Amino acid sequence: MKKLILAVSLAMVAAGAAHAGPPPPKAHGIEDKTYKWNAQEGEKIEALKLKGDKTRGEEGYEVCGACHLPSGAGRPDGTFPQLAGQHTTVLIKQMADIRAGLRDNPTMYPFAATLIDPQELADVAVYIESLCIPTEHGKYEGPDAATQLATGKGLYEKECKECHGTNGEGVKDKFYPVIAGQHYKYLLRQMTEIRDGHRRNANPDMVKVIKKYDDKQLVAISAYQSSLVMPGNMCKPKAAAKK
């Protein structure tokens, strides 16, 4: 049954992609000195003013679940991020940025384009935010894990905790994302892209912080971030199977 649902979802995506057409022209991002990270304009602002409906959002999310999974858990290999429990503000901003050509994500664009108006953005975002954060996700698994976590904790608490919080909870009204429960490989990829100037809709304040870190330090920070949990927001542990 799960395979059938996945096949149907992918077929819906293909149809949506054909309807969506090519991604929009690239908008001016962080490479432009006039870039404003969170400009209060466009459909993002319209969606943020609307009250999302979880029932409608669950229906809209079905297409998203083909990659991010019905649980919102994403993929441990980092190809698709964990979305469950993410702030509506962050979800709306990122989807709007992709739709507007401000964030480059050709894989995601056909999905985002199927949400036809700000109300659908608000609906899907509120549904995703309501999902519990999976306790099982991709973490750093090297033989030096303990060392990496210790190093990463020191770096995180020095400059990352102020925005992303002690438990990786982020700040909703400032559009700082939840990172608790996020996959290690996804975190490492995104921070590397932000540092190297490839994430065009990045927050300039984060770029200033992260650009001084080398690859080894980013590995350590990502390892620690992927170990964070948000009390009260995580999914309940699965009951042990009866013999």
Side-chain angles (χ1 to χ4, degrees), residues 82-87 129 131-135 137 156 164-172 176-182 225-236:
Q82 178 268 114
L83 298 181
Q86 187 58 262
H87 299 310
E129 185 184 57
L131 298 172
C132 64
I133 300 173
T135 55
H137 58 277
Y156 181 85
H164 290 290
T166 301
N167 299 308
E169 67 270 22
V171 182
K172 185 172 184 176
Y176 299 158
V178 172
I179 56 175
Q182 190 58 266
Q225 288 178 331
S226 69
S227 74
L228 296 173
V229 299
M230 288 173 63
N233 294 78
M234 310 303 290
C235 298
K236 294 180 180 179

PDB file of all heavy atoms in Angstrom, residues 82-87 129 131-135 137 156 164-172 176-182 225-236:
ATOM      1  N   GLN A  82      14.367  16.877   7.229  1.00  0.00           N
ATOM      2  CA  GLN A  82      13.272  16.656   8.155  1.00  0.00           C
ATOM      3  C   GLN A  82      12.501  17.962   8.254  1.00  0.00           C
ATOM      4  O   GLN A  82      13.081  19.024   8.469  1.00  0.00           O
ATOM      5  CB  GLN A  82      13.848  16.243   9.508  1.00  0.00           C
ATOM      6  CG  GLN A  82      12.827  16.014  10.613  1.00  0.00           C
ATOM      7  CD  GLN A  82      12.580  17.266  11.433  1.00  0.00           C
ATOM      8  OE1 GLN A  82      11.482  17.803  11.403  1.00  0.00           O
ATOM      9  NE2 GLN A  82      13.574  17.744  12.129  1.00  0.00           N
ATOM     10  N   LEU A  83      11.184  17.896   8.057  1.00  0.00           N
ATOM     11  CA  LEU A  83      10.335  19.089   8.112  1.00  0.00           C
ATOM     12  C   LEU A  83       9.456  19.134   9.349  1.00  0.00           C
ATOM     13  O   LEU A  83       9.052  20.208   9.786  1.00  0.00           O
ATOM     14  CB  LEU A  83       9.418  19.148   6.880  1.00  0.00           C
ATOM     15  CG  LEU A  83      10.070  19.249   5.506  1.00  0.00           C
ATOM     16  CD1 LEU A  83       8.981  19.309   4.439  1.00  0.00           C
ATOM     17  CD2 LEU A  83      10.977  20.466   5.409  1.00  0.00           C
ATOM     18  N   ALA A  84       9.121  17.985   9.897  1.00  0.00           N
ATOM     19  CA  ALA A  84       8.165  17.900  11.002  1.00  0.00           C
ATOM     20  C   ALA A  84       8.534  18.842  12.134  1.00  0.00           C
ATOM     21  O   ALA A  84       9.684  18.886  12.571  1.00  0.00           O
ATOM     22  CB  ALA A  84       8.103  16.465  11.529  1.00  0.00           C
ATOM     23  N   GLY A  85       7.539  19.613  12.610  1.00  0.00           N
ATOM     24  CA  GLY A  85       7.753  20.500  13.733  1.00  0.00           C
ATOM     25  C   GLY A  85       8.394  21.828  13.394  1.00  0.00           C
ATOM     26  O   GLY A  85       8.597  22.668  14.266  1.00  0.00           O
ATOM     27  N   GLN A  86       8.701  22.040  12.101  1.00  0.00           N
ATOM     28  CA  GLN A  86       9.336  23.305  11.706  1.00  0.00           C
ATOM     29  C   GLN A  86       8.352  24.465  11.844  1.00  0.00           C
ATOM     30  O   GLN A  86       7.159  24.315  11.630  1.00  0.00           O
ATOM     31  CB  GLN A  86       9.834  23.214  10.262  1.00  0.00           C
ATOM     32  CG  GLN A  86      10.654  24.403   9.792  1.00  0.00           C
ATOM     33  CD  GLN A  86      11.870  24.650  10.649  1.00  0.00           C
ATOM     34  OE1 GLN A  86      11.840  25.496  11.542  1.00  0.00           O
ATOM     35  NE2 GLN A  86      12.938  23.868  10.399  1.00  0.00           N
ATOM     36  N   HIS A  87       8.858  25.641  12.177  1.00  0.00           N
ATOM     37  CA  HIS A  87       8.012  26.816  12.339  1.00  0.00           C
ATOM     38  C   HIS A  87       7.308  27.175  11.031  1.00  0.00           C
ATOM     39  O   HIS A  87       7.920  27.115   9.952  1.00  0.00           O
ATOM     40  CB  HIS A  87       8.850  28.020  12.783  1.00  0.00           C
ATOM     41  CG  HIS A  87       9.539  27.836  14.094  1.00  0.00           C
ATOM     42  ND1 HIS A  87       8.881  27.399  15.219  1.00  0.00           N
ATOM     43  CD2 HIS A  87      10.840  28.042  14.467  1.00  0.00           C
ATOM     44  CE1 HIS A  87       9.738  27.345  16.235  1.00  0.00           C
ATOM     45  NE2 HIS A  87      10.922  27.710  15.802  1.00  0.00           N
ATOM     46  N   GLU A 129       4.016  21.958  10.809  1.00  0.00           N
ATOM     47  CA  GLU A 129       4.434  22.394  12.135  1.00  0.00           C
ATOM     48  C   GLU A 129       3.803  21.532  13.237  1.00  0.00           C
ATOM     49  O   GLU A 129       4.397  21.339  14.296  1.00  0.00           O
ATOM     50  CB  GLU A 129       4.053  23.856  12.347  1.00  0.00           C
ATOM     51  CG  GLU A 129       4.567  24.438  13.669  1.00  0.00           C
ATOM     52  CD  GLU A 129       4.099  25.862  13.894  1.00  0.00           C
ATOM     53  OE1 GLU A 129       2.858  26.094  13.889  1.00  0.00           O
ATOM     54  OE2 GLU A 129       4.948  26.750  14.089  1.00  0.00           O
ATOM     55  N   LEU A 131       3.305  18.348  13.209  1.00  0.00           N
ATOM     56  CA  LEU A 131       3.856  16.993  13.262  1.00  0.00           C
ATOM     57  C   LEU A 131       4.940  16.883  14.330  1.00  0.00           C
ATOM     58  O   LEU A 131       5.769  17.779  14.486  1.00  0.00           O
ATOM     59  CB  LEU A 131       4.432  16.600  11.901  1.00  0.00           C
ATOM     60  CG  LEU A 131       3.452  16.551  10.729  1.00  0.00           C
ATOM     61  CD1 LEU A 131       4.215  16.337   9.415  1.00  0.00           C
ATOM     62  CD2 LEU A 131       2.414  15.465  10.927  1.00  0.00           C
ATOM     63  N   CYS A 132       4.940  15.770  15.055  1.00  0.00           N
ATOM     64  CA  CYS A 132       5.993  15.564  16.050  1.00  0.00           C
ATOM     65  C   CYS A 132       7.326  15.306  15.346  1.00  0.00           C
ATOM     66  O   CYS A 132       7.368  14.779  14.238  1.00  0.00           O
ATOM     67  CB  CYS A 132       5.644  14.408  16.983  1.00  0.00           C
ATOM     68  SG  CYS A 132       5.535  12.784  16.196  1.00  0.00           S
ATOM     69  N   ILE A 133       8.399  15.701  16.002  1.00  0.00           N
ATOM     70  CA  ILE A 133       9.732  15.550  15.432  1.00  0.00           C
ATOM     71  C   ILE A 133      10.241  14.131  15.699  1.00  0.00           C
ATOM     72  O   ILE A 133      10.325  13.710  16.852  1.00  0.00           O
ATOM     73  CB  ILE A 133      10.704  16.570  16.048  1.00  0.00           C
ATOM     74  CG1 ILE A 133      10.220  17.994  15.762  1.00  0.00           C
ATOM     75  CG2 ILE A 133      12.117  16.366  15.511  1.00  0.00           C
ATOM     76  CD1 ILE A 133      11.026  19.067  16.472  1.00  0.00           C
ATOM     77  N   PRO A 134      10.581  13.384  14.653  1.00  0.00           N
ATOM     78  CA  PRO A 134      11.053  11.999  14.853  1.00  0.00           C
ATOM     79  C   PRO A 134      12.313  11.932  15.714  1.00  0.00           C
ATOM     80  O   PRO A 134      13.205  12.776  15.596  1.00  0.00           O
ATOM     81  CB  PRO A 134      11.332  11.514  13.422  1.00  0.00           C
ATOM     82  CG  PRO A 134      10.460  12.376  12.561  1.00  0.00           C
ATOM     83  CD  PRO A 134      10.473  13.720  13.224  1.00  0.00           C
ATOM     84  N   THR A 135      12.363  10.952  16.575  1.00  0.00           N
ATOM     85  CA  THR A 135      13.540  10.780  17.430  1.00  0.00           C
ATOM     86  C   THR A 135      14.676  10.079  16.695  1.00  0.00           C
ATOM     87  O   THR A 135      15.844  10.219  17.068  1.00  0.00           O
ATOM     88  CB  THR A 135      13.186   9.970  18.693  1.00  0.00           C
ATOM     89  OG1 THR A 135      12.584   8.727  18.301  1.00  0.00           O
ATOM     90  CG2 THR A 135      12.200  10.731  19.571  1.00  0.00           C
ATOM     91  N   HIS A 137      16.866   9.820  13.416  1.00  0.00           N
ATOM     92  CA  HIS A 137      17.232  10.561  12.211  1.00  0.00           C
ATOM     93  C   HIS A 137      18.731  10.403  11.980  1.00  0.00           C
ATOM     94  O   HIS A 137      19.446   9.809  12.790  1.00  0.00           O
ATOM     95  CB  HIS A 137      16.856  12.042  12.358  1.00  0.00           C
ATOM     96  CG  HIS A 137      17.487  12.712  13.531  1.00  0.00           C
ATOM     97  ND1 HIS A 137      16.960  12.636  14.797  1.00  0.00           N
ATOM     98  CD2 HIS A 137      18.611  13.463  13.642  1.00  0.00           C
ATOM     99  CE1 HIS A 137      17.720  13.321  15.635  1.00  0.00           C
ATOM    100  NE2 HIS A 137      18.733  13.821  14.966  1.00  0.00           N
ATOM    101  N   TYR A 156      28.946  25.572  18.971  1.00  0.00           N
ATOM    102  CA  TYR A 156      27.521  25.904  18.901  1.00  0.00           C
ATOM    103  C   TYR A 156      27.136  26.880  20.004  1.00  0.00           C
ATOM    104  O   TYR A 156      26.436  27.877  19.754  1.00  0.00           O
ATOM    105  CB  TYR A 156      26.687  24.621  19.019  1.00  0.00           C
ATOM    106  CG  TYR A 156      25.194  24.874  18.944  1.00  0.00           C
ATOM    107  CD1 TYR A 156      24.559  24.967  17.712  1.00  0.00           C
ATOM    108  CD2 TYR A 156      24.433  25.014  20.107  1.00  0.00           C
ATOM    109  CE1 TYR A 156      23.195  25.207  17.642  1.00  0.00           C
ATOM    110  CE2 TYR A 156      23.071  25.257  20.039  1.00  0.00           C
ATOM    111  CZ  TYR A 156      22.457  25.346  18.798  1.00  0.00           C
ATOM    112  OH  TYR A 156      21.096  25.598  18.735  1.00  0.00           O
ATOM    113  N   HIS A 164      19.525  29.831  17.427  1.00  0.00           N
ATOM    114  CA  HIS A 164      18.865  28.530  17.271  1.00  0.00           C
ATOM    115  C   HIS A 164      18.440  27.897  18.593  1.00  0.00           C
ATOM    116  O   HIS A 164      17.741  26.882  18.587  1.00  0.00           O
ATOM    117  CB  HIS A 164      19.771  27.581  16.489  1.00  0.00           C
ATOM    118  CG  HIS A 164      19.908  27.962  15.052  1.00  0.00           C
ATOM    119  ND1 HIS A 164      18.876  27.842  14.147  1.00  0.00           N
ATOM    120  CD2 HIS A 164      20.955  28.497  14.368  1.00  0.00           C
ATOM    121  CE1 HIS A 164      19.289  28.275  12.960  1.00  0.00           C
ATOM    122  NE2 HIS A 164      20.535  28.672  13.072  1.00  0.00           N
ATOM    123  N   GLY A 165      18.839  28.493  19.729  1.00  0.00           N
ATOM    124  CA  GLY A 165      18.366  28.019  21.021  1.00  0.00           C
ATOM    125  C   GLY A 165      19.154  26.867  21.595  1.00  0.00           C
ATOM    126  O   GLY A 165      19.835  26.127  20.880  1.00  0.00           O
ATOM    127  N   THR A 166      19.035  26.694  22.898  1.00  0.00           N
ATOM    128  CA  THR A 166      19.749  25.637  23.606  1.00  0.00           C
ATOM    129  C   THR A 166      19.398  24.256  23.066  1.00  0.00           C
ATOM    130  O   THR A 166      20.254  23.376  22.941  1.00  0.00           O
ATOM    131  CB  THR A 166      19.416  25.686  25.110  1.00  0.00           C
ATOM    132  OG1 THR A 166      19.784  26.966  25.624  1.00  0.00           O
ATOM    133  CG2 THR A 166      20.163  24.591  25.874  1.00  0.00           C
ATOM    134  N   ASN A 167      18.121  24.056  22.739  1.00  0.00           N
ATOM    135  CA  ASN A 167      17.653  22.746  22.273  1.00  0.00           C
ATOM    136  C   ASN A 167      17.390  22.708  20.768  1.00  0.00           C
ATOM    137  O   ASN A 167      16.715  21.812  20.273  1.00  0.00           O
ATOM    138  CB  ASN A 167      16.374  22.361  23.015  1.00  0.00           C
ATOM    139  CG  ASN A 167      16.587  22.258  24.509  1.00  0.00           C
ATOM    140  OD1 ASN A 167      17.489  21.568  24.961  1.00  0.00           O
ATOM    141  ND2 ASN A 167      15.768  22.960  25.287  1.00  0.00           N
ATOM    142  N   GLY A 168      17.905  23.680  20.040  1.00  0.00           N
ATOM    143  CA  GLY A 168      17.693  23.713  18.594  1.00  0.00           C
ATOM    144  C   GLY A 168      16.293  24.114  18.210  1.00  0.00           C
ATOM    145  O   GLY A 168      15.818  23.768  17.126  1.00  0.00           O
ATOM    146  N   GLU A 169      15.621  24.887  19.086  1.00  0.00           N
ATOM    147  CA  GLU A 169      14.216  25.243  18.853  1.00  0.00           C
ATOM    148  C   GLU A 169      14.006  26.440  17.937  1.00  0.00           C
ATOM    149  O   GLU A 169      12.885  26.733  17.512  1.00  0.00           O
ATOM    150  CB  GLU A 169      13.518  25.502  20.189  1.00  0.00           C
ATOM    151  CG  GLU A 169      14.001  26.739  20.939  1.00  0.00           C
ATOM    152  CD  GLU A 169      15.149  26.462  21.892  1.00  0.00           C
ATOM    153  OE1 GLU A 169      15.858  25.449  21.701  1.00  0.00           O
ATOM    154  OE2 GLU A 169      15.335  27.262  22.826  1.00  0.00           O
ATOM    155  N   GLY A 170      15.065  27.181  17.614  1.00  0.00           N
ATOM    156  CA  GLY A 170      14.925  28.333  16.747  1.00  0.00           C
ATOM    157  C   GLY A 170      14.076  29.428  17.385  1.00  0.00           C
ATOM    158  O   GLY A 170      13.749  29.375  18.562  1.00  0.00           O
ATOM    159  N   VAL A 171      13.700  30.429  16.576  1.00  0.00           N
ATOM    160  CA  VAL A 171      12.843  31.522  17.037  1.00  0.00           C
ATOM    161  C   VAL A 171      11.808  31.787  15.951  1.00  0.00           C
ATOM    162  O   VAL A 171      12.143  32.282  14.880  1.00  0.00           O
ATOM    163  CB  VAL A 171      13.642  32.810  17.327  1.00  0.00           C
ATOM    164  CG1 VAL A 171      12.706  33.905  17.852  1.00  0.00           C
ATOM    165  CG2 VAL A 171      14.760  32.542  18.318  1.00  0.00           C
ATOM    166  N   LYS A 172      10.565  31.462  16.243  1.00  0.00           N
ATOM    167  CA  LYS A 172       9.526  31.523  15.230  1.00  0.00           C
ATOM    168  C   LYS A 172       9.333  32.911  14.646  1.00  0.00           C
ATOM    169  O   LYS A 172       9.294  33.085  13.417  1.00  0.00           O
ATOM    170  CB  LYS A 172       8.206  31.012  15.812  1.00  0.00           C
ATOM    171  CG  LYS A 172       7.071  30.920  14.786  1.00  0.00           C
ATOM    172  CD  LYS A 172       5.859  30.236  15.383  1.00  0.00           C
ATOM    173  CE  LYS A 172       4.768  30.061  14.345  1.00  0.00           C
ATOM    174  NZ  LYS A 172       3.613  29.301  14.880  1.00  0.00           N
ATOM    175  N   TYR A 176      13.996  32.043  12.480  1.00  0.00           N
ATOM    176  CA  TYR A 176      15.145  31.177  12.714  1.00  0.00           C
ATOM    177  C   TYR A 176      14.634  29.745  12.835  1.00  0.00           C
ATOM    178  O   TYR A 176      13.783  29.451  13.678  1.00  0.00           O
ATOM    179  CB  TYR A 176      15.865  31.573  14.004  1.00  0.00           C
ATOM    180  CG  TYR A 176      16.421  32.981  14.000  1.00  0.00           C
ATOM    181  CD1 TYR A 176      16.684  33.639  15.201  1.00  0.00           C
ATOM    182  CD2 TYR A 176      16.688  33.659  12.807  1.00  0.00           C
ATOM    183  CE1 TYR A 176      17.202  34.933  15.219  1.00  0.00           C
ATOM    184  CE2 TYR A 176      17.198  34.947  12.811  1.00  0.00           C
ATOM    185  CZ  TYR A 176      17.453  35.583  14.027  1.00  0.00           C
ATOM    186  OH  TYR A 176      17.959  36.857  14.033  1.00  0.00           O
ATOM    187  N   PRO A 177      15.134  28.834  12.029  1.00  0.00           N
ATOM    188  CA  PRO A 177      14.557  27.486  11.975  1.00  0.00           C
ATOM    189  C   PRO A 177      14.851  26.573  13.150  1.00  0.00           C
ATOM    190  O   PRO A 177      15.858  26.719  13.844  1.00  0.00           O
ATOM    191  CB  PRO A 177      15.189  26.905  10.695  1.00  0.00           C
ATOM    192  CG  PRO A 177      16.493  27.621  10.590  1.00  0.00           C
ATOM    193  CD  PRO A 177      16.205  29.022  11.046  1.00  0.00           C
ATOM    194  N   VAL A 178      13.943  25.630  13.347  1.00  0.00           N
ATOM    195  CA  VAL A 178      14.171  24.508  14.250  1.00  0.00           C
ATOM    196  C   VAL A 178      15.241  23.636  13.598  1.00  0.00           C
ATOM    197  O   VAL A 178      15.157  23.315  12.416  1.00  0.00           O
ATOM    198  CB  VAL A 178      12.880  23.669  14.419  1.00  0.00           C
ATOM    199  CG1 VAL A 178      13.169  22.392  15.190  1.00  0.00           C
ATOM    200  CG2 VAL A 178      11.795  24.483  15.099  1.00  0.00           C
ATOM    201  N   ILE A 179      16.258  23.260  14.364  1.00  0.00           N
ATOM    202  CA  ILE A 179      17.264  22.329  13.832  1.00  0.00           C
ATOM    203  C   ILE A 179      17.292  21.031  14.623  1.00  0.00           C
ATOM    204  O   ILE A 179      17.958  20.079  14.219  1.00  0.00           O
ATOM    205  CB  ILE A 179      18.665  22.963  13.779  1.00  0.00           C
ATOM    206  CG1 ILE A 179      19.087  23.481  15.155  1.00  0.00           C
ATOM    207  CG2 ILE A 179      18.721  24.069  12.737  1.00  0.00           C
ATOM    208  CD1 ILE A 179      20.505  24.017  15.180  1.00  0.00           C
ATOM    209  N   ALA A 180      16.559  20.979  15.732  1.00  0.00           N
ATOM    210  CA  ALA A 180      16.457  19.733  16.501  1.00  0.00           C
ATOM    211  C   ALA A 180      15.861  18.641  15.628  1.00  0.00           C
ATOM    212  O   ALA A 180      14.875  18.861  14.939  1.00  0.00           O
ATOM    213  CB  ALA A 180      15.579  19.952  17.729  1.00  0.00           C
ATOM    214  N   GLY A 181      16.464  17.477  15.651  1.00  0.00           N
ATOM    215  CA  GLY A 181      15.951  16.359  14.866  1.00  0.00           C
ATOM    216  C   GLY A 181      16.355  16.388  13.402  1.00  0.00           C
ATOM    217  O   GLY A 181      15.959  15.504  12.630  1.00  0.00           O
ATOM    218  N   GLN A 182      17.137  17.387  13.014  1.00  0.00           N
ATOM    219  CA  GLN A 182      17.534  17.478  11.606  1.00  0.00           C
ATOM    220  C   GLN A 182      18.689  16.527  11.300  1.00  0.00           C
ATOM    221  O   GLN A 182      19.513  16.217  12.168  1.00  0.00           O
ATOM    222  CB  GLN A 182      17.943  18.915  11.261  1.00  0.00           C
ATOM    223  CG  GLN A 182      18.147  19.180   9.784  1.00  0.00           C
ATOM    224  CD  GLN A 182      16.912  18.868   8.954  1.00  0.00           C
ATOM    225  OE1 GLN A 182      16.796  17.743   8.415  1.00  0.00           O
ATOM    226  NE2 GLN A 182      15.976  19.796   8.879  1.00  0.00           N
ATOM    227  N   GLN A 225      24.650  19.627  16.361  1.00  0.00           N
ATOM    228  CA  GLN A 225      23.291  20.076  16.049  1.00  0.00           C
ATOM    229  C   GLN A 225      22.353  18.900  15.818  1.00  0.00           C
ATOM    230  O   GLN A 225      21.201  18.914  16.255  1.00  0.00           O
ATOM    231  CB  GLN A 225      23.305  20.978  14.815  1.00  0.00           C
ATOM    232  CG  GLN A 225      23.907  22.348  15.049  1.00  0.00           C
ATOM    233  CD  GLN A 225      23.936  23.190  13.793  1.00  0.00           C
ATOM    234  OE1 GLN A 225      24.028  22.663  12.675  1.00  0.00           O
ATOM    235  NE2 GLN A 225      23.881  24.497  13.948  1.00  0.00           N
ATOM    236  N   SER A 226      22.835  17.881  15.142  1.00  0.00           N
ATOM    237  CA  SER A 226      21.979  16.732  14.833  1.00  0.00           C
ATOM    238  C   SER A 226      21.654  15.903  16.074  1.00  0.00           C
ATOM    239  O   SER A 226      20.777  15.037  16.026  1.00  0.00           O
ATOM    240  CB  SER A 226      22.632  15.839  13.774  1.00  0.00           C
ATOM    241  OG  SER A 226      23.779  15.173  14.281  1.00  0.00           O
ATOM    242  N   SER A 227      22.343  16.192  17.178  1.00  0.00           N
ATOM    243  CA  SER A 227      22.073  15.458  18.421  1.00  0.00           C
ATOM    244  C   SER A 227      21.025  16.158  19.291  1.00  0.00           C
ATOM    245  O   SER A 227      20.594  15.599  20.301  1.00  0.00           O
ATOM    246  CB  SER A 227      23.368  15.310  19.237  1.00  0.00           C
ATOM    247  OG  SER A 227      23.747  16.534  19.854  1.00  0.00           O
ATOM    248  N   LEU A 228      20.608  17.355  18.915  1.00  0.00           N
ATOM    249  CA  LEU A 228      19.694  18.144  19.740  1.00  0.00           C
ATOM    250  C   LEU A 228      18.260  17.620  19.692  1.00  0.00           C
ATOM    251  O   LEU A 228      17.810  17.119  18.654  1.00  0.00           O
ATOM    252  CB  LEU A 228      19.715  19.606  19.290  1.00  0.00           C
ATOM    253  CG  LEU A 228      21.056  20.339  19.454  1.00  0.00           C
ATOM    254  CD1 LEU A 228      20.990  21.714  18.804  1.00  0.00           C
ATOM    255  CD2 LEU A 228      21.423  20.457  20.931  1.00  0.00           C
ATOM    256  N   VAL A 229      17.559  17.758  20.799  1.00  0.00           N
ATOM    257  CA  VAL A 229      16.151  17.363  20.874  1.00  0.00           C
ATOM    258  C   VAL A 229      15.363  18.477  21.560  1.00  0.00           C
ATOM    259  O   VAL A 229      15.898  19.199  22.405  1.00  0.00           O
ATOM    260  CB  VAL A 229      15.944  16.043  21.645  1.00  0.00           C
ATOM    261  CG1 VAL A 229      16.669  14.901  20.958  1.00  0.00           C
ATOM    262  CG2 VAL A 229      16.443  16.184  23.091  1.00  0.00           C
ATOM    263  N   MET A 230      14.103  18.628  21.184  1.00  0.00           N
ATOM    264  CA  MET A 230      13.225  19.630  21.787  1.00  0.00           C
ATOM    265  C   MET A 230      12.222  18.936  22.701  1.00  0.00           C
ATOM    266  O   MET A 230      11.290  18.282  22.223  1.00  0.00           O
ATOM    267  CB  MET A 230      12.471  20.393  20.692  1.00  0.00           C
ATOM    268  CG  MET A 230      13.298  21.361  19.893  1.00  0.00           C
ATOM    269  SD  MET A 230      12.344  22.051  18.505  1.00  0.00           S
ATOM    270  CE  MET A 230      11.040  22.935  19.377  1.00  0.00           C
ATOM    271  N   PRO A 231      12.387  19.044  24.002  1.00  0.00           N
ATOM    272  CA  PRO A 231      11.438  18.404  24.923  1.00  0.00           C
ATOM    273  C   PRO A 231      10.011  18.866  24.643  1.00  0.00           C
ATOM    274  O   PRO A 231       9.757  20.050  24.444  1.00  0.00           O
ATOM    275  CB  PRO A 231      11.916  18.900  26.295  1.00  0.00           C
ATOM    276  CG  PRO A 231      13.371  19.184  26.106  1.00  0.00           C
ATOM    277  CD  PRO A 231      13.470  19.743  24.719  1.00  0.00           C
ATOM    278  N   GLY A 232       9.107  17.879  24.597  1.00  0.00           N
ATOM    279  CA  GLY A 232       7.707  18.211  24.348  1.00  0.00           C
ATOM    280  C   GLY A 232       7.328  18.255  22.891  1.00  0.00           C
ATOM    281  O   GLY A 232       6.137  18.303  22.558  1.00  0.00           O
ATOM    282  N   ASN A 233       8.324  18.238  21.991  1.00  0.00           N
ATOM    283  CA  ASN A 233       8.044  18.303  20.560  1.00  0.00           C
ATOM    284  C   ASN A 233       8.429  17.028  19.819  1.00  0.00           C
ATOM    285  O   ASN A 233       8.104  16.867  18.647  1.00  0.00           O
ATOM    286  CB  ASN A 233       8.796  19.477  19.923  1.00  0.00           C
ATOM    287  CG  ASN A 233       8.320  20.820  20.408  1.00  0.00           C
ATOM    288  OD1 ASN A 233       8.673  21.253  21.505  1.00  0.00           O
ATOM    289  ND2 ASN A 233       7.504  21.494  19.613  1.00  0.00           N
ATOM    290  N   MET A 234       9.140  16.140  20.514  1.00  0.00           N
ATOM    291  CA  MET A 234       9.609  14.919  19.853  1.00  0.00           C
ATOM    292  C   MET A 234       8.511  13.859  19.848  1.00  0.00           C
ATOM    293  O   MET A 234       7.634  13.834  20.723  1.00  0.00           O
ATOM    294  CB  MET A 234      10.838  14.369  20.576  1.00  0.00           C
ATOM    295  CG  MET A 234      11.944  15.396  20.836  1.00  0.00           C
ATOM    296  SD  MET A 234      12.590  16.229  19.356  1.00  0.00           S
ATOM    297  CE  MET A 234      13.473  14.871  18.574  1.00  0.00           C
ATOM    298  N   CYS A 235       8.546  12.987  18.867  1.00  0.00           N
ATOM    299  CA  CYS A 235       7.594  11.878  18.801  1.00  0.00           C
ATOM    300  C   CYS A 235       7.848  10.929  19.978  1.00  0.00           C
ATOM    301  O   CYS A 235       8.981  10.797  20.455  1.00  0.00           O
ATOM    302  CB  CYS A 235       7.757  11.104  17.499  1.00  0.00           C
ATOM    303  SG  CYS A 235       7.423  12.067  15.999  1.00  0.00           S
ATOM    304  N   LYS A 236       6.807  10.284  20.416  1.00  0.00           N
ATOM    305  CA  LYS A 236       6.959   9.313  21.498  1.00  0.00           C
ATOM    306  C   LYS A 236       7.715   8.094  20.990  1.00  0.00           C
ATOM    307  O   LYS A 236       7.484   7.647  19.868  1.00  0.00           O
ATOM    308  CB  LYS A 236       5.574   8.896  22.018  1.00  0.00           C
ATOM    309  CG  LYS A 236       4.798  10.015  22.689  1.00  0.00           C
ATOM    310  CD  LYS A 236       3.442   9.529  23.183  1.00  0.00           C
ATOM    311  CE  LYS A 236       2.673  10.662  23.847  1.00  0.00           C
ATOM    312  NZ  LYS A 236       1.330  10.202  24.318  1.00  0.00           N
TER     313      LYS A 236
END
